[in-house]
Amino acid sequence: MSAQDFLTLTGVSKVYRRGQSLLERLKKTDAGGTKAVSDVSLMIRHGETVGLVGESGCGKSTLARLVSGLMAPTSGEIVFRKDKTGRTPRLQMIFQDPYSSLNGRWTIEDIIAEPIKVHKLRKGRAAIRARVDELLVQVGLSPADAEKYPQEFSGGQRQRICIARALAGEPEFLILDEPTSALDVSVQAQILNLLRDLQKNLHLTSLFITHNLSVVRIMADRIGVMYLGELVEEAPSEELFRRPRHPYTRLLIDAAPDMDTDDRSLHPIAGELPNPAFPPSGCRFHTRCPFAKDVCRSTAPPQKMTDAGGLYRCHFDLDLSNTSTVPALAKMKTA
């Protein structure tokens, strides 16, 4: 791990084992399972925001829970850089649902004060309350809101409270798991603007999980694209949108609204997401890829590096910068 590396994932996998029948246990048969995350390697630098995108079920939220320590990987290694005293960084997580992630029996003061007390960041009730008031103002709420309960707030206000609670622990690393997907569009913009300001002012290192490419483009310095548990592409944000290298990335961009100002029609990705318990052989994306060839069906693609420092997994070097996703119009060159 270099001096700039804040978090390093190496070959991380997570398998959810299915229950065995009595006969399988007697025969000592491997029950198998669903490989939600498959051999993911990723590095996040200090002060950087890395985004993870992909369809529902691609494994990005599972990866976030592995990084947070809420669950252990089946294999692989997750390493945080330690400070001079040997302490690992404090970590906080902002969840997708602002309704279920707050305890309705606690006041807002109790909710925000809890991480302050757990980490012993302030001493005395007055100092803790002053910090709670400061955090409420920081996220655009009022100190008077500390006396209220979560059910007295709208979804957007609740998410602001969740952000205040996360910041109360004075984290060096923040995981945001779809923090705006449960909110109305107008409220999403407010929360995103708030998060961008906090990133800039507090110099946070972040992992931002979303399925919305419009969101990740403005929030992340680098973006990783996940498909069926695998990281199929990773690149600096603008490079990924300017010249995607993996067909799935190109199709995600085409399918997203507001990504192409010339073509306002939507292009949903054809086909069904395969069952992750039984992923396709070879390249996992070949069942939906408009460029698939025989080699894609039989052999897993190698990992390649781009001149811009990105990575992608594909058998071919495809010109996908301004190319239609219709196979007949694609310019394909074998690697």
Side-chain angles (χ1 to χ4, degrees):
M1 178 176 282
S2 72
Q4 288 187 332
D5 295 352
F6 186 88
L7 168 65
T8 303
L9 283 69
T10 307
V12 173
S13 296
K14 179 64 180 179
V15 180
Y16 293 106
R17 300 288 181 185
R18 68 175 179 86
Q20 287 182 301
S21 67
L22 177 60
L23 183 61
E24 286 174 326
R25 289 198 297 270
L26 290 173
K27 291 183 176 181
K28 297 182 180 180
T29 303
D30 185 1
T34 300
K35 206 164 189 179
V37 174
S38 180
D39 195 27
V40 169
S41 295
L42 181 69
M43 185 268 292
I44 300 178
R45 302 179 184 91
H46 180 74
E48 182 180 48
T49 295
V50 171
L52 280 181
V53 298
E55 295 167 285
S56 296
C58 72
K60 55 189 187 296
S61 290
T62 298
L63 190 63
R65 283 160 174 75
L66 292 172
V67 171
S68 70
L70 292 175
M71 60 176 65
T74 305
S75 60
E77 188 177 45
I78 300 173
V79 178
F80 283 94
R81 186 185 67 185
K82 297 181 180 180
D83 63 16
K84 294 179 180 179
T85 66
R87 183 182 65 85
T88 56
R90 280 194 295 268
L91 179 154
Q92 291 290 337
M93 190 166 180
I94 298 173
F95 295 93
Q96 177 177 355
D97 187 357
Y99 293 92
S100 62
S101 56
L102 295 176
N103 189 337
R105 297 183 179 182
W106 286 20
T107 65
I108 302 307
E109 178 182 2
D110 292 333
I111 290 171
I112 298 176
E114 184 185 24
I116 301 174
K117 295 175 182 177
V118 168
H119 294 293
K120 300 178 181 179
L121 300 173
R122 298 289 188 280
K123 293 182 179 180
R125 180 179 175 85
I128 292 174
R129 177 54 194 264
R131 177 58 175 157
V132 169
D133 291 349
E134 179 185 348
L135 288 164
L136 285 170
V137 172
Q138 193 171 15
V139 298
L141 297 173
S142 166
D145 291 328
E147 308 296 332
K148 300 177 182 178
Y149 290 85
Q151 52 268 31
E152 299 179 60
F153 296 89
S154 67
Q157 290 172 322
R158 288 188 186 206
Q159 198 62 300
R160 290 174 183 266
I161 294 166
C162 292
I163 295 170
R165 178 181 59 183
L167 296 178
E170 298 182 5
E172 291 127 311
F173 185 62
L174 197 60
I175 299 175
L176 304 102
D177 187 7
E178 301 273 13
T180 62
S181 63
L183 306 175
D184 293 336
V185 174
S186 60
V187 181
Q188 285 184 23
Q190 296 173 13
I191 298 300
L192 289 172
N193 286 332
L194 171 62
L195 290 171
R196 289 184 68 188
D197 290 342
L198 291 172
Q199 284 178 335
K200 180 180 178 181
N201 297 331
L202 301 178
H203 307 290
L204 291 171
T205 306
S206 308
L207 179 63
F208 195 99
I209 312 293
T210 183
H211 64 275
N212 190 322
L213 273 78
S214 302
V215 168
V216 78
R217 187 172 193 174
I218 64 172
M219 294 297 297
D221 302 301
R222 282 188 300 122
I223 299 172
V225 180
M226 291 192 69
Y227 183 77
L228 217 60
E230 290 186 338
L231 190 66
V232 297
E233 184 165 6
E234 177 202 338
S237 179
E238 287 308 312
E239 175 68 14
L240 186 98
F241 286 97
R242 186 182 68 83
R243 192 183 179 190
R245 297 301 188 101
H246 196 280
Y248 181 58
T249 306
R250 174 76 263 175
L251 289 167
L252 280 179
I253 294 172
D254 288 350
D258 302 327
M259 285 285 99
D260 187 344
T261 56
D262 296 323
D263 183 2
R264 306 301 295 176
S265 59
L266 298 180
H267 307 279
I269 301 175
E272 295 286 334
L273 189 71
N275 185 342
F278 304 99
S281 60
C283 175
R284 294 188 177 189
F285 188 58
H286 83 256
T287 59
R288 305 170 74 189
C289 181
F291 308 102
K293 302 293 181 183
D294 288 342
V295 66
C296 306
R297 300 178 183 94
S298 61
T299 307
Q303 179 174 281
K304 302 176 182 178
M305 181 171 285
T306 69
D307 294 337
L311 301 170
Y312 67 103
R313 294 179 180 273
C314 186
H315 286 291
F316 308 104
D317 290 332
L318 300 170
D319 181 5
L320 300 174
S321 53
N322 294 300
T323 303
S324 168
T325 53
V326 178
L329 300 180
K331 298 175 183 178
M332 184 161 60
K333 300 178 292 183
T334 55

